[in-house]
C-alpha cells in the first residue's frame, strides 16, 4: 500500500518534511526541524493474551502509565507488542510507527487510542510509515484520514505524566 496514493485518493492534504532518520523522541528533538502541529509519540501495545492490539498516540512529552491505560480500556495488563506483531498488523518497523500506519490495517485488527490534547490540536505530526520524514496533518485532515481507514479514535485523557526525558515508545 502506497501511503501517498492513499492520501491522494481520499483527498487528504498533509505536508511532508524530509529529515535524518529518527528512532526516539530524543533524536526527534535534535534532528527534526521545528514544524507546525503537535509532536507525537506512538506506542504499539498488546494485551496480556495477545488478543487485542492497540496503537496509542500521545504528545511526545507524555510518559504513558500502561497499567492505568489498560484498566481504562478494559484491556487488563498492557505491554509492548513485538516488532513481528508491528509488521504483521501495521506493516511498519520500530521507529516508523504513527497513526498513518492505520491505513495498512485494512482488517481493523488494531484499536486506536488518541490523547485528547492531540485531538484538540490544530494539527499533529506523524511519520509517513518511515522515520526519515514527518507529515503535518491538520485536524480536519486527520478526521478525513480516520474516516478513510474506517478506524474510530478512542479519544481519552491518556494516563501519564509529562516527561521531557522519558521512554520514547516505538
Amino acid at each position: 500500500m502506497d501511503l501517498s496514493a492513499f492520501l491522494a485518493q481520499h483527498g487528504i492534504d498533509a505536508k511532508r518534511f524530509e529529515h535524518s532518520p529518527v528512532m526516539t523522541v530524543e533524536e526527534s528533538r535534535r534532528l527534526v526541524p521545528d514544524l507546525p502541529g503537535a509532536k507525537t509519540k506512538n506506542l504499539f501495545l498488546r494485551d496480556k493474551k495477545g488478543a487485542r492490539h492497540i496503537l496509542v498516540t500521545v504528545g511526545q512529552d507524555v510518559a504513558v502509565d500502561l497499567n492505568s491505560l489498560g484498566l481504562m480500556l478494559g484491556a487488563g495488563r498492557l505491554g509492548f507488542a513485538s516488532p513481528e506483531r508491528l509488521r504483521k498488523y501495521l506493516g511498519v518497523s520500530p521507529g516508523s510507527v504513527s497513526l498513518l500506519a492505520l491505513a495498512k490495517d485494512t482488517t481493523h485488527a488494531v484499536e486506536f487510542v488518541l490523547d485528547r490534547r492531540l485531538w484538540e490540536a490544530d494539527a499533529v505530526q506523524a511519520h509517513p510509515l518511515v522515520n526519515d520524514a514527518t507529515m503535518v496533518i491538520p485536524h480536519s485532515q486527520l478526521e478525513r484520514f480516520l474516516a478513510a481507514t474506517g478506524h474510530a479514535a478512542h479519544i481519552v485523557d491518556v494516563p501519564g505524566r509529562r516527561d521531557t526525558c522519558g521512554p520514547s515508545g516505538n
Side-chain angles (χ1 to χ4, degrees), residues 29 41 58-66 68 115 117 157-167:
R29 285 188 180 113
K41 171 169 67 176
V58 297
Q60 79 168 6
D61 60 347
V62 174
V64 177
D65 180 340
L66 295 181
S68 296
D115 189 75
R117 287 169 286 209
D157 293 312
V158 173
R161 59 184 169 75
R162 296 182 81 67
D163 184 9
T164 57
C165 329

Side-chain angles (χ1 to χ4, degrees), residues 26-144:
E26 179 53 40
E27 287 178 352
S28 175
R29 285 188 180 113
R30 285 187 292 113
L31 300 172
V32 176
D34 189 24
L35 302 172
K39 292 182 179 273
T40 61
K41 171 169 67 176
N42 300 275
L43 310 175
F44 186 57
L45 307 172
R46 63 167 181 74
D47 67 357
K48 187 176 181 179
K49 295 180 181 179
R52 288 177 70 182
H53 294 86
I54 305 166
L55 175 62
V56 179
T57 301
V58 297
Q60 79 168 6
D61 60 347
V62 174
V64 177
D65 180 340
L66 295 181
N67 292 332
S68 296
L69 180 61
L71 291 172
M72 176 187 285
L73 299 176
R77 187 167 169 235
L78 294 174
F80 288 95
S82 68
E84 293 75 26
R85 285 178 189 259
L86 180 58
R87 277 189 288 282
K88 176 181 177 180
Y89 291 102
L90 292 177
V92 295
S93 301
S96 298
V97 182
S98 82
L99 59 89
L100 292 172
L102 293 171
K104 290 191 162 204
D105 178 31
T106 58
T107 63
H108 302 100
V110 176
E111 299 171 49
F112 179 51
V113 173
L114 182 66
D115 189 75
R116 186 174 317 280
R117 287 169 286 209
L118 294 178
W119 182 251
E120 293 171 352
D122 292 337
V124 296
Q125 297 178 19
H127 284 311
L129 311 183
V130 293
N131 67 355
D132 62 354
T134 297
M135 294 189 97
V136 175
I137 308 159
H139 180 83
S140 63
Q141 301 305 298
L142 174 59
E143 287 187 45
R144 183 178 286 202

